[in-house]
Amino acid sequence: MAPYIIGALIGAYLGYLIYRQVKNIKEKNYCGSCAGCPSAQSCGQIKEANGKEAPTS
Amino acid sequence: MVGKAMANDTMEKVNDRQKELQIGFIGNPNSGKTTLFNAYTGARLKVANWPGVTVEKKQGVFKYHNHVYKLVDLPGIYSLTSYSIEEKVSRQYILSDDVDLIVDVADASNLEKNLYLVLQLIEIGKPVVLALNMMDVVEERGMVIDLHRLHETLGIPVIPVSARKKTGLDILMHAVSHSTEPESGDEPVVIYSDLIEGKISKIIQRLVDYDPNIYNPRFYAIKLLEQDPQVMQAYPIELSDIVNKSYETEIINEKYDFIEEIVEEVLINRQEKAMVTDKIDSILTHKVWGVPIFLGIMGLIFFLTFAIGGGIQGMLEEWLESFSIWTEASLLGLNAGHVLTSLIVDGIIAGVGTIVTFLPNIAILFLALAFLEDSGYMARITYVMNGLMSKVGLSGKALIPMLLGFGCTVPAIMATRTLENQRDRIKTILITPFMSCAAKIPIYILLSGLFFGKYAPLAALSMYIIGLVTGLLTAYVVNKLEKRIDKKKNRRQELEVNQLLIELPEYKTPNAHSIFIYVWENVKAYLTKAGTTIFLASVVLWFILRFGTTGFVEDMSLSFGASIGRILVPVLAPAGLGFWQIGVSLIAGLAAKEVVVSSMGILFGVANIESAMGLSAMQQTLGAIGFGPLNAYSMMIFVLFYTPCVAALAVIGQELKSVKWTALVFLFQLVFAWLGSVLVYQIAGLFF
Amino acid sequence: MTLKDAKNGEIYVVEDSIISQPVKRRLEAMGLIEGTLIRKNNQALDGSIIFMVRGTRLAIGKELAQAITVKKALASDLGKGRRGYGPGHGRRRGPGMGHRKGCGKGQAMGRQAGKGCREMGVDNW
């Protein structure tokens, strides 16, 4: 029984990760793959953060 | 006014919307806007002690009694005349209709310089509240500011705060809630000389004729006198008889006359406490010793990262190995099938676990960078190294993004926004990926540890030196090319624009809290990445390496992965990397550099790459297929140069605003990596 | 003389700066205008310098240092008013204030509605 539960959990987590990845890419939000850098802050760390603020020139 | 009790829900909702005011935090660079913003919103935005840390507009929500405020943190500016990209963000926002109230965050310990922006902001005509930050420093120095008189002279609320010690925050918000209308706006704060005032009133007349509904025409009149290009565009009225030249200098001069008067009146007991900074500067920015000291500090940082971090990492490796063995045994005990066991042990633990063991190295590196940034030394580096940098056609300021690049390329590339010169900026963006980011540390440690024994730290350090030197050479070559093109097209570059010009903050003892935030945010991000991107990549890698056309395979050389890797073998062979395993690793590394190490964990097994005995076994395995120290070094060179991760590419694309250029950067790095490793392998091959 | 040729640790008065507009504006906004007192702190081998203006240290490259002309501050420049030279000590008294209409400083500073300049002047001077 236990192996099935473990397998299901891993499967569910993988599903979630893939869903998130696809969503991020669709939104052109590549920070999902770059949690490893402080720029993750610009990707919704603050509620209502206006992350994709384009540089104005 | 807010706060009236509303009878029904809809009315309340309308009222709520009215209550949500946008409050812009603006002020000189390094005056503590972000610290204040963090204190109110609970955000953990990066704070450090050099001008230009914040390069983006950030928003957060703060509730004060029954008001909901949208707080906006902005990059620091010295004046409303914008100079570099990040400053334009601030100017544009402050002049837009979005902002309802401006909180000017000023460094009270340096009132004179901060007041210039204060005066400009008041002239805009929007409600302004002056937050005198760093009052704790003022008190420490025994200075006294006559707040009452300052309020009288400026005509706006003046609130003493200390964002760091979180004092005065409530009073500031109280003032904000009562200042949503400008205070009796008619009386101008600065009255200029008769000449200027005469011109202002004439321009106001024409502005009102042009647009009868104009709000605060005085501000636009002043801007038109300064010949501000944007305002001139917005109000294209004929003024040549009044404005025969830009009066900006006169206006600045008269503002400063006024500032001096204010300062003389409100500042009591100024003290020359700043001498400590001068003393430290006489050593750290010394004519001769400045450069060696900087190189020494950088050397120390990498020594700590590799030598000390390596020790702790060794311990974690042993734990991971025992954990891996224990898990395998438990799974077998639970009667799990060998596919599931393999997924967990050979896929997830090998892929993700291996990455986690490098956490100490990452934490130490970011801790060191935090000290560099929070002490006040960061800005000095631009001065110390300006000579060398100008030889390759860059300003010393380009070093800030480059140094940040040792942590992560993404924020480093964002930091290039502080460079005033567009060409400087593009060159810096091009070379910043050559600065090995933290994600490459595991690869260097793993490969150098495997093949270079006690010289491992040296081999790793050499990557940083090679990266830096190559970056500088690239800048040099691009600079030469640019000059040649300029000469051909007869263009003249205004030299001074890429000249160094930076404010040096005072040294301070690094603040434990900001350092903690800095390190913790990076550690957290690293772990998050391990749990998400690397987890996913590891499972995918495990799948393609464990499955072949025949289903689950024990021998990975029969897997799909091996077939994919083999495609690359002929291309990589000249670099000594003609092994399908390396091909798979390098392709996987495109997602994130850490995945190169994950893939090695999956390919060779945790037990093999994590324990001393396993190491020698792996060396033998690799040796048997002909992969020796030279191949390892060649691979390190390849990893050093090759394409940055997806996030870095995305941010490069965002900053260069061109898909074509981004694709070029991508190809450039890839070709460079290949050429570099081929060169190293072939030339070194002649000697060894 | 230019700021590049000035001596470390000495105090100077800014005369002029011959620089392209954007950089000049930036320096002016930072308070470096004609008549400002500055102290040169340091000079690197390549000619970049650190100097102190209005309480802050600025680092500038060689070309900028060469473009700013200064003269040595006299004792009379330093002793103006309550302000001797020190960190943050600014300009000499320029003629600027004299231009103000009416009753001088008081009025320029008074922004409060309803308070005439005379009243403020009496209250606070």
Side-chain angles (χ1 to χ4, degrees), chain B residues 396-425:
Chain B
K397 240 177 156 178
L399 259 174
I400 290 185
M402 286 166 72
L403 288 177
L404 294 178
F406 289 132
C408 174
T409 312
V410 175
I413 287 185
M414 304 274 286
T416 59
R417 289 188 187 179
T418 58
L419 298 173
E420 299 85 9
N421 181 297
Q422 188 58 18
R423 285 183 172 186
D424 249 29
R425 215 176 146 232

PDB file of all heavy atoms in Angstrom, chain B residues 396-425:
ATOM      1  N   GLY B 396      34.178  52.372 -14.222  1.00  0.00           N
ATOM      2  CA  GLY B 396      34.355  51.571 -13.018  1.00  0.00           C
ATOM      3  C   GLY B 396      33.030  51.074 -12.476  1.00  0.00           C
ATOM      4  O   GLY B 396      32.944  50.044 -11.814  1.00  0.00           O
ATOM      5  N   LYS B 397      31.976  51.815 -12.797  1.00  0.00           N
ATOM      6  CA  LYS B 397      30.647  51.472 -12.304  1.00  0.00           C
ATOM      7  C   LYS B 397      30.180  50.119 -12.834  1.00  0.00           C
ATOM      8  O   LYS B 397      29.332  49.471 -12.233  1.00  0.00           O
ATOM      9  CB  LYS B 397      29.658  52.543 -12.736  1.00  0.00           C
ATOM     10  CG  LYS B 397      28.991  53.228 -11.583  1.00  0.00           C
ATOM     11  CD  LYS B 397      28.089  54.312 -12.115  1.00  0.00           C
ATOM     12  CE  LYS B 397      26.995  54.633 -11.145  1.00  0.00           C
ATOM     13  NZ  LYS B 397      26.145  55.720 -11.640  1.00  0.00           N
ATOM     14  N   ALA B 398      30.718  49.702 -13.991  1.00  0.00           N
ATOM     15  CA  ALA B 398      30.324  48.418 -14.574  1.00  0.00           C
ATOM     16  C   ALA B 398      30.732  47.263 -13.667  1.00  0.00           C
ATOM     17  O   ALA B 398      30.226  46.149 -13.808  1.00  0.00           O
ATOM     18  CB  ALA B 398      30.944  48.251 -15.948  1.00  0.00           C
ATOM     19  N   LEU B 399      31.635  47.535 -12.734  1.00  0.00           N
ATOM     20  CA  LEU B 399      32.076  46.456 -11.844  1.00  0.00           C
ATOM     21  C   LEU B 399      30.984  46.017 -10.882  1.00  0.00           C
ATOM     22  O   LEU B 399      30.983  44.874 -10.429  1.00  0.00           O
ATOM     23  CB  LEU B 399      33.296  46.907 -11.048  1.00  0.00           C
ATOM     24  CG  LEU B 399      34.620  46.381 -11.564  1.00  0.00           C
ATOM     25  CD1 LEU B 399      35.746  47.019 -10.798  1.00  0.00           C
ATOM     26  CD2 LEU B 399      34.720  44.869 -11.448  1.00  0.00           C
ATOM     27  N   ILE B 400      30.069  46.915 -10.560  1.00  0.00           N
ATOM     28  CA  ILE B 400      29.014  46.528  -9.612  1.00  0.00           C
ATOM     29  C   ILE B 400      28.180  45.381 -10.190  1.00  0.00           C
ATOM     30  O   ILE B 400      28.065  44.331  -9.557  1.00  0.00           O
ATOM     31  CB  ILE B 400      28.151  47.744  -9.204  1.00  0.00           C
ATOM     32  CG1 ILE B 400      29.000  48.668  -8.334  1.00  0.00           C
ATOM     33  CG2 ILE B 400      26.895  47.309  -8.454  1.00  0.00           C
ATOM     34  CD1 ILE B 400      28.255  49.843  -7.749  1.00  0.00           C
ATOM     35  N   PRO B 401      27.629  45.528 -11.406  1.00  0.00           N
ATOM     36  CA  PRO B 401      26.921  44.368 -11.974  1.00  0.00           C
ATOM     37  C   PRO B 401      27.815  43.144 -12.094  1.00  0.00           C
ATOM     38  O   PRO B 401      27.353  42.021 -11.842  1.00  0.00           O
ATOM     39  CB  PRO B 401      26.493  44.832 -13.369  1.00  0.00           C
ATOM     40  CG  PRO B 401      26.622  46.293 -13.374  1.00  0.00           C
ATOM     41  CD  PRO B 401      27.528  46.705 -12.283  1.00  0.00           C
ATOM     42  N   MET B 402      29.071  43.345 -12.457  1.00  0.00           N
ATOM     43  CA  MET B 402      29.945  42.182 -12.625  1.00  0.00           C
ATOM     44  C   MET B 402      30.123  41.437 -11.307  1.00  0.00           C
ATOM     45  O   MET B 402      30.059  40.202 -11.271  1.00  0.00           O
ATOM     46  CB  MET B 402      31.296  42.622 -13.193  1.00  0.00           C
ATOM     47  CG  MET B 402      31.215  42.986 -14.671  1.00  0.00           C
ATOM     48  SD  MET B 402      32.653  43.886 -15.265  1.00  0.00           S
ATOM     49  CE  MET B 402      33.872  42.575 -15.276  1.00  0.00           C
ATOM     50  N   LEU B 403      30.327  42.176 -10.221  1.00  0.00           N
ATOM     51  CA  LEU B 403      30.498  41.517  -8.925  1.00  0.00           C
ATOM     52  C   LEU B 403      29.208  40.837  -8.489  1.00  0.00           C
ATOM     53  O   LEU B 403      29.225  39.724  -7.951  1.00  0.00           O
ATOM     54  CB  LEU B 403      30.926  42.529  -7.867  1.00  0.00           C
ATOM     55  CG  LEU B 403      32.357  43.031  -7.993  1.00  0.00           C
ATOM     56  CD1 LEU B 403      32.648  44.076  -6.925  1.00  0.00           C
ATOM     57  CD2 LEU B 403      33.339  41.880  -7.856  1.00  0.00           C
ATOM     58  N   LEU B 404      28.071  41.510  -8.741  1.00  0.00           N
ATOM     59  CA  LEU B 404      26.795  40.886  -8.385  1.00  0.00           C
ATOM     60  C   LEU B 404      26.614  39.599  -9.177  1.00  0.00           C
ATOM     61  O   LEU B 404      25.958  38.666  -8.733  1.00  0.00           O
ATOM     62  CB  LEU B 404      25.630  41.839  -8.668  1.00  0.00           C
ATOM     63  CG  LEU B 404      25.573  43.104  -7.823  1.00  0.00           C
ATOM     64  CD1 LEU B 404      24.405  43.965  -8.257  1.00  0.00           C
ATOM     65  CD2 LEU B 404      25.443  42.766  -6.351  1.00  0.00           C
ATOM     66  N   GLY B 405      27.218  39.553 -10.361  1.00  0.00           N
ATOM     67  CA  GLY B 405      27.132  38.381 -11.221  1.00  0.00           C
ATOM     68  C   GLY B 405      27.738  37.131 -10.589  1.00  0.00           C
ATOM     69  O   GLY B 405      27.392  36.020 -10.977  1.00  0.00           O
ATOM     70  N   PHE B 406      28.633  37.321  -9.633  1.00  0.00           N
ATOM     71  CA  PHE B 406      29.177  36.153  -8.937  1.00  0.00           C
ATOM     72  C   PHE B 406      28.087  35.488  -8.097  1.00  0.00           C
ATOM     73  O   PHE B 406      28.187  34.317  -7.766  1.00  0.00           O
ATOM     74  CB  PHE B 406      30.361  36.541  -8.042  1.00  0.00           C
ATOM     75  CG  PHE B 406      31.587  36.894  -8.825  1.00  0.00           C
ATOM     76  CD1 PHE B 406      32.302  38.047  -8.553  1.00  0.00           C
ATOM     77  CD2 PHE B 406      32.041  36.073  -9.847  1.00  0.00           C
ATOM     78  CE1 PHE B 406      33.438  38.371  -9.273  1.00  0.00           C
ATOM     79  CE2 PHE B 406      33.175  36.393 -10.578  1.00  0.00           C
ATOM     80  CZ  PHE B 406      33.875  37.545 -10.289  1.00  0.00           C
ATOM     81  N   GLY B 407      27.079  36.269  -7.724  1.00  0.00           N
ATOM     82  CA  GLY B 407      25.951  35.693  -6.993  1.00  0.00           C
ATOM     83  C   GLY B 407      24.956  35.107  -7.976  1.00  0.00           C
ATOM     84  O   GLY B 407      24.797  33.897  -8.060  1.00  0.00           O
ATOM     85  N   CYS B 408      24.300  35.980  -8.741  1.00  0.00           N
ATOM     86  CA  CYS B 408      23.325  35.515  -9.720  1.00  0.00           C
ATOM     87  C   CYS B 408      23.303  36.495 -10.879  1.00  0.00           C
ATOM     88  O   CYS B 408      23.341  37.704 -10.675  1.00  0.00           O
ATOM     89  CB  CYS B 408      21.942  35.425  -9.083  1.00  0.00           C
ATOM     90  SG  CYS B 408      20.646  35.032 -10.284  1.00  0.00           S
ATOM     91  N   THR B 409      23.240  35.970 -12.077  1.00  0.00           N
ATOM     92  CA  THR B 409      23.315  36.810 -13.267  1.00  0.00           C
ATOM     93  C   THR B 409      22.083  37.703 -13.415  1.00  0.00           C
ATOM     94  O   THR B 409      22.187  38.825 -13.909  1.00  0.00           O
ATOM     95  CB  THR B 409      23.453  35.928 -14.522  1.00  0.00           C
ATOM     96  OG1 THR B 409      24.476  34.972 -14.268  1.00  0.00           O
ATOM     97  CG2 THR B 409      23.831  36.736 -15.732  1.00  0.00           C
ATOM     98  N   VAL B 410      20.926  37.211 -12.982  1.00  0.00           N
ATOM     99  CA  VAL B 410      19.696  37.971 -13.225  1.00  0.00           C
ATOM    100  C   VAL B 410      19.700  39.353 -12.556  1.00  0.00           C
ATOM    101  O   VAL B 410      19.568  40.367 -13.248  1.00  0.00           O
ATOM    102  CB  VAL B 410      18.458  37.141 -12.825  1.00  0.00           C
ATOM    103  CG1 VAL B 410      17.194  37.957 -12.966  1.00  0.00           C
ATOM    104  CG2 VAL B 410      18.373  35.896 -13.681  1.00  0.00           C
ATOM    105  N   PRO B 411      19.876  39.434 -11.234  1.00  0.00           N
ATOM    106  CA  PRO B 411      19.904  40.778 -10.644  1.00  0.00           C
ATOM    107  C   PRO B 411      21.105  41.593 -11.136  1.00  0.00           C
ATOM    108  O   PRO B 411      21.042  42.811 -11.192  1.00  0.00           O
ATOM    109  CB  PRO B 411      20.003  40.519  -9.142  1.00  0.00           C
ATOM    110  CG  PRO B 411      20.478  39.134  -9.011  1.00  0.00           C
ATOM    111  CD  PRO B 411      19.992  38.398 -10.211  1.00  0.00           C
ATOM    112  N   ALA B 412      22.182  40.895 -11.495  1.00  0.00           N
ATOM    113  CA  ALA B 412      23.360  41.603 -11.995  1.00  0.00           C
ATOM    114  C   ALA B 412      23.022  42.341 -13.279  1.00  0.00           C
ATOM    115  O   ALA B 412      23.407  43.491 -13.473  1.00  0.00           O
ATOM    116  CB  ALA B 412      24.501  40.621 -12.222  1.00  0.00           C
ATOM    117  N   ILE B 413      22.267  41.678 -14.137  1.00  0.00           N
ATOM    118  CA  ILE B 413      21.915  42.315 -15.402  1.00  0.00           C
ATOM    119  C   ILE B 413      20.933  43.460 -15.176  1.00  0.00           C
ATOM    120  O   ILE B 413      21.017  44.501 -15.811  1.00  0.00           O
ATOM    121  CB  ILE B 413      21.403  41.256 -16.391  1.00  0.00           C
ATOM    122  CG1 ILE B 413      22.638  40.476 -16.829  1.00  0.00           C
ATOM    123  CG2 ILE B 413      20.666  41.875 -17.567  1.00  0.00           C
ATOM    124  CD1 ILE B 413      22.462  39.453 -17.868  1.00  0.00           C
ATOM    125  N   MET B 414      20.040  43.271 -14.205  1.00  0.00           N
ATOM    126  CA  MET B 414      19.149  44.381 -13.860  1.00  0.00           C
ATOM    127  C   MET B 414      19.949  45.581 -13.351  1.00  0.00           C
ATOM    128  O   MET B 414      19.583  46.725 -13.595  1.00  0.00           O
ATOM    129  CB  MET B 414      18.195  43.952 -12.743  1.00  0.00           C
ATOM    130  CG  MET B 414      17.392  42.732 -13.052  1.00  0.00           C
ATOM    131  SD  MET B 414      15.912  43.095 -13.939  1.00  0.00           S
ATOM    132  CE  MET B 414      14.948  43.787 -12.628  1.00  0.00           C
ATOM    133  N   ALA B 415      21.024  45.302 -12.627  1.00  0.00           N
ATOM    134  CA  ALA B 415      21.808  46.388 -12.029  1.00  0.00           C
ATOM    135  C   ALA B 415      22.508  47.242 -13.081  1.00  0.00           C
ATOM    136  O   ALA B 415      22.938  48.348 -12.782  1.00  0.00           O
ATOM    137  CB  ALA B 415      22.840  45.827 -11.042  1.00  0.00           C
ATOM    138  N   THR B 416      22.606  46.741 -14.317  1.00  0.00           N
ATOM    139  CA  THR B 416      23.250  47.563 -15.343  1.00  0.00           C
ATOM    140  C   THR B 416      22.410  48.790 -15.674  1.00  0.00           C
ATOM    141  O   THR B 416      22.876  49.687 -16.357  1.00  0.00           O
ATOM    142  CB  THR B 416      23.457  46.788 -16.657  1.00  0.00           C
ATOM    143  OG1 THR B 416      22.190  46.349 -17.142  1.00  0.00           O
ATOM    144  CG2 THR B 416      24.347  45.591 -16.463  1.00  0.00           C
ATOM    145  N   ARG B 417      21.187  48.831 -15.161  1.00  0.00           N
ATOM    146  CA  ARG B 417      20.353  50.011 -15.417  1.00  0.00           C
ATOM    147  C   ARG B 417      20.954  51.280 -14.839  1.00  0.00           C
ATOM    148  O   ARG B 417      20.603  52.379 -15.258  1.00  0.00           O
ATOM    149  CB  ARG B 417      18.972  49.821 -14.791  1.00  0.00           C
ATOM    150  CG  ARG B 417      18.152  48.810 -15.511  1.00  0.00           C
ATOM    151  CD  ARG B 417      16.757  48.802 -14.972  1.00  0.00           C
ATOM    152  NE  ARG B 417      15.986  47.731 -15.542  1.00  0.00           N
ATOM    153  CZ  ARG B 417      14.731  47.495 -15.219  1.00  0.00           C
ATOM    154  NH1 ARG B 417      14.145  48.239 -14.317  1.00  0.00           N
ATOM    155  NH2 ARG B 417      14.084  46.510 -15.784  1.00  0.00           N
ATOM    156  N   THR B 418      21.815  51.133 -13.858  1.00  0.00           N
ATOM    157  CA  THR B 418      22.403  52.327 -13.267  1.00  0.00           C
ATOM    158  C   THR B 418      23.503  52.914 -14.156  1.00  0.00           C
ATOM    159  O   THR B 418      23.998  53.994 -13.880  1.00  0.00           O
ATOM    160  CB  THR B 418      23.020  52.038 -11.885  1.00  0.00           C
ATOM    161  OG1 THR B 418      23.993  51.014 -12.041  1.00  0.00           O
ATOM    162  CG2 THR B 418      21.972  51.572 -10.906  1.00  0.00           C
ATOM    163  N   LEU B 419      23.899  52.192 -15.206  1.00  0.00           N
ATOM    164  CA  LEU B 419      24.931  52.731 -16.087  1.00  0.00           C
ATOM    165  C   LEU B 419      24.292  53.742 -17.032  1.00  0.00           C
ATOM    166  O   LEU B 419      23.318  53.439 -17.702  1.00  0.00           O
ATOM    167  CB  LEU B 419      25.596  51.603 -16.876  1.00  0.00           C
ATOM    168  CG  LEU B 419      26.312  50.555 -16.019  1.00  0.00           C
ATOM    169  CD1 LEU B 419      26.784  49.405 -16.871  1.00  0.00           C
ATOM    170  CD2 LEU B 419      27.467  51.173 -15.282  1.00  0.00           C
ATOM    171  N   GLU B 420      24.860  54.927 -17.065  1.00  0.00           N
ATOM    172  CA  GLU B 420      24.230  56.020 -17.804  1.00  0.00           C
ATOM    173  C   GLU B 420      24.369  55.824 -19.307  1.00  0.00           C
ATOM    174  O   GLU B 420      23.510  56.194 -20.077  1.00  0.00           O
ATOM    175  CB  GLU B 420      24.876  57.353 -17.428  1.00  0.00           C
ATOM    176  CG  GLU B 420      24.750  57.719 -15.956  1.00  0.00           C
ATOM    177  CD  GLU B 420      25.846  57.106 -15.116  1.00  0.00           C
ATOM    178  OE1 GLU B 420      26.791  56.539 -15.710  1.00  0.00           O
ATOM    179  OE2 GLU B 420      25.760  57.186 -13.875  1.00  0.00           O
ATOM    180  N   ASN B 421      25.496  55.234 -19.702  1.00  0.00           N
ATOM    181  CA  ASN B 421      25.798  55.157 -21.119  1.00  0.00           C
ATOM    182  C   ASN B 421      25.269  53.852 -21.706  1.00  0.00           C
ATOM    183  O   ASN B 421      25.566  52.764 -21.206  1.00  0.00           O
ATOM    184  CB  ASN B 421      27.321  55.256 -21.276  1.00  0.00           C
ATOM    185  CG  ASN B 421      27.754  55.200 -22.707  1.00  0.00           C
ATOM    186  OD1 ASN B 421      27.540  54.204 -23.386  1.00  0.00           O
ATOM    187  ND2 ASN B 421      28.351  56.262 -23.178  1.00  0.00           N
ATOM    188  N   GLN B 422      24.498  53.965 -22.780  1.00  0.00           N
ATOM    189  CA  GLN B 422      23.848  52.798 -23.349  1.00  0.00           C
ATOM    190  C   GLN B 422      24.859  51.757 -23.823  1.00  0.00           C
ATOM    191  O   GLN B 422      24.683  50.556 -23.649  1.00  0.00           O
ATOM    192  CB  GLN B 422      22.925  53.244 -24.490  1.00  0.00           C
ATOM    193  CG  GLN B 422      22.036  52.151 -25.063  1.00  0.00           C
ATOM    194  CD  GLN B 422      21.124  51.509 -24.027  1.00  0.00           C
ATOM    195  OE1 GLN B 422      20.888  52.069 -22.960  1.00  0.00           O
ATOM    196  NE2 GLN B 422      20.629  50.321 -24.315  1.00  0.00           N
ATOM    197  N   ARG B 423      25.959  52.220 -24.407  1.00  0.00           N
ATOM    198  CA  ARG B 423      26.969  51.278 -24.901  1.00  0.00           C
ATOM    199  C   ARG B 423      27.645  50.540 -23.760  1.00  0.00           C
ATOM    200  O   ARG B 423      27.904  49.349 -23.838  1.00  0.00           O
ATOM    201  CB  ARG B 423      28.028  52.038 -25.689  1.00  0.00           C
ATOM    202  CG  ARG B 423      27.533  52.456 -27.035  1.00  0.00           C
ATOM    203  CD  ARG B 423      28.662  53.114 -27.745  1.00  0.00           C
ATOM    204  NE  ARG B 423      28.330  53.389 -29.117  1.00  0.00           N
ATOM    205  CZ  ARG B 423      29.204  53.860 -29.983  1.00  0.00           C
ATOM    206  NH1 ARG B 423      30.441  54.100 -29.602  1.00  0.00           N
ATOM    207  NH2 ARG B 423      28.851  54.090 -31.218  1.00  0.00           N
ATOM    208  N   ASP B 424      27.931  51.284 -22.707  1.00  0.00           N
ATOM    209  CA  ASP B 424      28.503  50.685 -21.509  1.00  0.00           C
ATOM    210  C   ASP B 424      27.606  49.574 -21.018  1.00  0.00           C
ATOM    211  O   ASP B 424      28.050  48.509 -20.601  1.00  0.00           O
ATOM    212  CB  ASP B 424      28.535  51.748 -20.398  1.00  0.00           C
ATOM    213  CG  ASP B 424      29.937  52.162 -20.065  1.00  0.00           C
ATOM    214  OD1 ASP B 424      30.768  52.094 -20.982  1.00  0.00           O
ATOM    215  OD2 ASP B 424      30.191  52.547 -18.912  1.00  0.00           O
ATOM    216  N   ARG B 425      26.324  49.871 -21.105  1.00  0.00           N
ATOM    217  CA  ARG B 425      25.329  48.953 -20.590  1.00  0.00           C
ATOM    218  C   ARG B 425      25.311  47.666 -21.398  1.00  0.00           C
ATOM    219  O   ARG B 425      25.323  46.571 -20.841  1.00  0.00           O
ATOM    220  CB  ARG B 425      23.970  49.641 -20.678  1.00  0.00           C
ATOM    221  CG  ARG B 425      23.115  49.270 -19.541  1.00  0.00           C
ATOM    222  CD  ARG B 425      21.823  49.981 -19.526  1.00  0.00           C
ATOM    223  NE  ARG B 425      20.909  49.006 -18.975  1.00  0.00           N
ATOM    224  CZ  ARG B 425      19.788  48.657 -19.535  1.00  0.00           C
ATOM    225  NH1 ARG B 425      19.404  49.229 -20.645  1.00  0.00           N
ATOM    226  NH2 ARG B 425      19.046  47.739 -18.975  1.00  0.00           N
TER     227      ARG B 425
END
